[in-house]
Amino acid sequence: QVQLVESGGGLVRAGGSLRLSCAASGLSFNYHSMAWFRQAPGKEREFVSAINRSGGRTLYVDSVKGRFTISRDNAKNTVYLQMNSLRPEDTAVYYCAAKLSEAIFIEPPTAAYDYWGQGTQVTVSS
């Protein structure tokens, strides 16, 4: 059974940092591209960032470029999202997702991803 378990969320002041982790099990992690999405209250789930299987290619939505960094450790079956210079508008539940494909695209539909975690809350106060 595939499991994606996010951790690292919390409450932080604007300008602060958080590092999210997503530990994967039950799948061949090396064969899956990974992504982070987020969903704010009353809004649709939106793409944040993606990383290909080797970690050699990454994509970011414009609103987080230069502030967020996605990375992965295939030996630990874990993907990370380092979030710096956080803003109140970054407040959302952050979800980890996996898909069995090398290709990654900017702002893909959620249906493009096969597996999802349960989410971790990130709250940024002003």
Side-chain angles (χ1 to χ4, degrees):
Q1 182 179 356
V2 175
Q3 281 193 313
L4 302 178
V5 180
E6 301 97 335
S7 62
L11 173 63
V12 64
R13 288 189 175 182
S17 298
L18 285 173
R19 188 194 195 204
L20 305 184
S21 299
C22 171
S25 61
L27 78 170
S28 298
F29 188 73
N30 289 11
Y31 287 92
H32 287 74
S33 296
M34 303 296 295
W36 289 94
F37 287 73
R38 66 187 179 186
Q39 188 166 17
K43 294 188 177 182
E44 293 188 354
R45 194 169 298 189
E46 66 169 356
F47 171 83
V48 175
S49 181
I51 188 167
N52 69 344
R53 294 186 291 196
S54 68
R57 183 168 180 250
T58 58
L59 294 172
Y60 300 91
V61 68
D62 283 347
S63 61
V64 308
K65 280 182 181 177
R67 302 188 298 122
F68 290 11
T69 303
I70 190 171
S71 62
R72 65 189 293 161
D73 185 338
N74 286 349
K76 295 183 178 180
N77 287 5
T78 301
V79 62
Y80 305 96
L81 187 68
Q82 177 67 44
M83 306 186 295
N84 298 329
S85 302
L86 282 162
R87 304 167 180 169
E89 54 263 39
D90 294 318
T91 294
V93 177
Y94 283 70
Y95 296 91
C96 170
K99 69 183 181 82
L100 187 61
S101 173
E102 169 69 1
I104 55 174
F105 303 96
I106 195 71
E107 299 189 78
T110 56
Y113 282 80
D114 304 309
Y115 305 107
W116 292 84
Q118 82 290 346
T120 186
Q121 176 70 46
V122 171
T123 302
V124 184
S125 63
S126 56

